[in-house]
Amino acid sequence: MLYWFLKWIALGPVLRLVFRPKAFGTDHVPEEGPAILASNHLSYADWLFMPLTLTRRVTFVAKAEYFTTPGIKGWFQKKFFTGAGQVPIDRSGANAAEGAMKSAMKILAEGDLFGIYPEGTRSHDGKLYRGKTGVARLALESGAPVIPCAVVGTDVVAPTGKVYGTWTRPVVRFGKPLDFSRYAGMENDRYILRSITDEIMYEIMRLSGQEYVDLYASKAKELDKEKARQAEREKAEREKAERDKAAREQAEGGPEQKAS
């Protein structure tokens, strides 16, 4: 009930009025029955704008901590995330990935739409990164079709690492459903899982127009951070060398005095 209240009365109308998001290919999303919506991930606002363009509920999994924080803040946090269409990861599994899979399977088994970001984390530079194979395993184990999705412009509205963004009109594009039933029973074949995932990511790239990088987003972030740290170290070394040189010249009387 809270989901529909936020979508149609409290939050949705405001987002529609202010940002006027555009949607294409919504007819590719079935009116009933389970389906996996596999999307790119540019901003934390993605999970607000993509479901806003559909009449059906879209459910994502979120960290269990969002639902278990104590106190008044935790209560409001739990109510908001639940109302916004998110469910906690099932922690009965051996790890978070297995828990997310269990939660997703429950949602699909009930005939609902499940939203997933194959990259696993937000893109830090606007590029599209290698997808993790969980989306492929989910498709094979559930038998649900995968609908590739691209959300464009949310990184302008709500850029990563910044409190405020700038206005733009977000665009959401849905591709044709991808059927992987030909691979039924092969969910433990890592080559099949990689092939399916790459096919999904190709469709997302085609819809989003993003540059594709065959590297996991988390690894790319680490490499960029290391490059930034290396650049800072090199800058500090140059500045130190310049200070040392200036100190030596001053101790020796300076270049003009030496020349005389």
Side-chain angles (χ1 to χ4, degrees):
M1 182 64 72
L2 181 57
Y3 178 89
W4 302 112
F5 173 76
L6 289 174
K7 183 170 184 175
W8 298 115
I9 299 176
L11 185 60
V14 175
L15 293 176
R16 291 189 187 91
L17 179 64
V18 174
F19 295 103
R20 297 184 296 119
K22 294 184 290 185
F24 301 92
T26 55
D27 56 311
H28 293 316
V29 181
E31 295 183 0
E32 59 182 20
I36 302 166
L37 303 181
S39 176
N40 62 333
H41 200 10
L42 292 173
S43 164
Y44 62 82
D46 294 336
W47 59 272
L48 290 174
F49 284 102
M50 187 261 275
L52 196 64
T53 64
L54 300 172
T55 55
R56 294 185 62 185
R57 172 173 178 148
V58 182
T59 304
F60 298 83
V61 294
K63 295 178 181 179
E65 289 76 7
Y66 292 156
F67 301 84
T68 57
T69 302
I72 297 297
K73 178 182 178 181
W75 185 85
F76 279 105
Q77 184 173 271
K78 177 182 178 180
K79 289 295 183 182
F80 175 78
F81 280 103
T82 301
Q86 301 208 24
V87 297
I89 291 174
D90 186 342
R91 291 296 186 180
S92 63
N95 52 53
E98 183 180 338
M101 181 68 68
K102 285 188 175 183
S103 296
M105 288 294 292
K106 290 178 183 177
I107 293 164
L108 293 170
E110 293 172 357
D112 295 330
L113 298 177
F114 176 71
I116 187 172
Y117 301 112
E119 292 171 278
T121 186
R122 293 191 300 269
S123 172
H124 65 292
D125 57 6
K127 297 177 182 178
L128 183 68
Y129 286 93
R130 195 180 199 208
K132 296 185 177 181
T133 58
V135 63
R137 190 157 68 93
L138 181 61
L140 294 185
E141 291 190 6
S142 68
V146 178
I147 300 171
C149 173
V151 184
V152 180
T154 50
D155 54 335
V156 177
V157 173
T160 301
K162 296 183 179 180
V163 178
Y164 301 105
T166 55
W167 186 91
T168 192
R169 193 174 182 183
V171 175
V172 184
R173 299 188 184 97
F174 297 94
K176 295 180 180 179
L178 302 175
D179 179 15
F180 298 107
S181 59
R182 61 190 183 278
Y183 298 119
M186 305 177 73
E187 57 270 14
N188 293 319
D189 188 321
R190 62 190 183 94
Y191 295 105
I192 293 296
L193 295 179
R194 173 45 54 194
S195 177
I196 292 173
T197 304
D198 289 346
E199 183 177 341
I200 294 170
M201 297 310 294
Y202 176 81
E203 290 301 317
I204 295 176
M205 177 190 71
R206 189 179 61 81
L207 291 167
S208 68
Q210 292 170 272
E211 177 185 345
Y212 179 76
V213 180
D214 193 21
L215 188 70
Y216 291 119
S218 55
K219 181 64 176 178
K221 287 181 181 180
E222 291 177 8
L223 291 175
D224 282 356
K225 287 180 180 179
E226 180 55 36
K227 288 179 182 178
R229 287 192 292 265
Q230 181 62 30
E232 286 295 324
R233 286 194 293 266
E234 292 175 354
K235 179 182 178 182
E237 290 173 359
R238 288 195 302 270
E239 291 176 347
K240 182 178 183 302
E242 291 173 359
R243 289 195 300 269
D244 291 345
K245 180 181 178 182
R248 287 195 303 270
E249 289 177 349
Q250 185 176 10
E252 295 172 359
E256 291 183 1
Q257 186 172 338
K258 288 197 302 180
S260 62

